[in-house]
Amino acid sequence: MSHWYMLTLVGEDRPGIVAKLTHALFEGGCNLGEASMMRLGGNFTIMLMVRFDGRVKQLTELVNPVAESLGLHLHVDAIKGGLHKHLAPDVRITVYGADRPGIVSEVTGALAEAGLHILDLESDVAGSEDAPIYIMHIEGHAAEGVDSLRAALDVVKTRGVEAKLSEIDTLIG
């Protein structure tokens, strides 16, 4: 009987991490579900849904040699699969501002009050150490419509950030 697991791996970024990990999973009889993989400050992070016939211990024993060879920290959790049961994003929001404490809380708080359900959020710190710029890309579902989100962003813009909202027209089927 197949079970769903969430693999979490973190370690110093280097070429070949995804190829070696997914090859080991394929050879071990795993099927992959949704994934989020990205470089964060010189580290590579992976969150990956895996369907596997065995238990946590067996999956850990399958992946651990690859993780150790790449210097990655591995964590495995049993989860519910939940594929095809989530909202599709209908808005994309990009925010730029001088990096300062509280910018994420301020922006996401205003958007949450305006009905945004965040489905994906990526951020980056660009610029220089003397003039850092915080950049945030959000995809989400506008539960109360885009006008509510635009109004929330208009308020946020008065606090020294730039923000842009684009509607996503997803074709399903």
Side-chain angles (χ1 to χ4, degrees):
M1 178 176 179
S2 290
H3 307 277
W4 280 101
Y5 299 95
M6 181 67 73
L7 299 182
T8 306
L9 296 110
V10 178
E12 186 177 334
D13 190 21
R14 66 185 66 205
I17 291 174
V18 176
K20 289 177 183 173
L21 172 65
T22 56
H23 180 75
L25 292 168
F26 172 72
E27 290 293 319
C30 299
N31 288 319
L32 307 183
E34 297 174 358
S36 178
M37 304 181 190
M38 65 177 49
R39 174 207 46 81
L40 295 171
N43 298 289
F44 197 73
T45 64
I46 298 173
M47 290 188 300
L48 174 63
M49 293 175 62
V50 174
R51 192 171 61 203
F52 180 63
D53 288 341
R55 297 289 178 194
V56 169
K57 181 179 179 190
Q58 295 165 303
L59 183 56
T60 301
E61 290 172 354
L62 173 70
V63 177
N64 211 33
V66 174
E68 286 182 4
S69 73
L70 295 168
L72 302 173
H73 299 280
L74 169 66
H75 184 82
V76 180
D77 291 302
I79 61 169
K80 294 180 181 178
L83 297 177
H84 314 291
K85 295 179 182 175
H86 48 73
L87 297 169
D90 59 4
V91 293
R92 180 175 297 120
I93 298 167
T94 303
V95 177
Y96 294 87
D99 188 27
R100 59 178 164 76
I103 190 170
V104 176
S105 173
E106 183 178 298
V107 172
T108 59
L111 292 170
E113 286 184 24
L116 181 66
H117 180 169
I118 294 175
L119 303 173
D120 191 26
L121 185 152
E122 293 182 19
S123 66
D124 198 0
V125 179
S128 64
E129 287 190 34
D130 295 335
I133 300 169
Y134 197 83
I135 304 166
M136 189 167 27
H137 302 281
I138 300 171
E139 286 191 355
H141 179 76
E144 297 176 22
V146 294
D147 291 339
S148 177
L149 297 176
R150 284 193 171 102
L153 290 174
D154 286 343
V155 172
V156 170
K157 288 180 197 176
T158 65
R159 300 178 190 148
V161 298
E162 293 182 34
K164 178 182 176 188
L165 182 147
S166 303
E167 294 184 49
I168 300 172
D169 190 17
T170 303
L171 178 63
I172 298 175

